[in-house]
Amino acid sequence: MLAIGSDHGGFELKEQIKAWLDEQHIEYKDFGIYENVSTDYALIGKKVGYAVAKGECEKGILICGTGIGISMAANKVNGVRAACCSDYFSAKYTRLHNDANILCMGGRVVGPGTAIELVDVFLHTAFEGGRHQRRIDQLTEIENEQKK
């Protein structure tokens, strides 16, 4: 299952992505917001981040005005590798090389066509592993050092 969420800056784009997910028969859980009202991005980033980190959802999509703030919030959750992307290459390679588990986008940065293209490549690109796994392990080490 996919986790999805947005603040007010990403609400409209989130709804357009959900419509596409429905068409593709991709199961998701919407962590809010449910109406276009001013909302703090950190709260939504945290909800989706925990859902992914705890394994309740395999991957996540987060959207705020730029994608930056909500990615910063999600990345505070241990086990999250959230990447803010606005182009196809970045969305593809953040899966191939970084094993990103949350795609973040800016509702005021990318249009719906591009956003759907990014979601599609993000969801359908597998992590390459190999030499890239060492780097993911290093990220996990950094997280674990913070727990001590």
Side-chain angles (χ1 to χ4, degrees), residues 13 62 64-68 71 83-94 102-119 121-122:
L13 186 58
L62 284 168
C64 68
T66 63
I68 297 168
S71 69
C84 183
C85 299
S86 57
D87 65 272
Y88 182 89
F89 184 87
S90 297
K92 181 174 182 170
Y93 277 83
T94 200
I102 299 180
L103 172 65
C104 301
M105 295 178 286
R108 297 175 183 143
V109 176
V110 298
T114 298
I116 288 166
E117 182 180 60
L118 302 182
V119 170
V121 72
F122 183 83

Side-chain angles (χ1 to χ4, degrees), residues 6-9 11 33-40:
S6 75
D7 72 355
H8 55 281
F11 178 76
I33 56 178
Y34 308 110
E35 58 183 305
N36 198 356
V37 295
S38 182
T39 306
D40 296 330

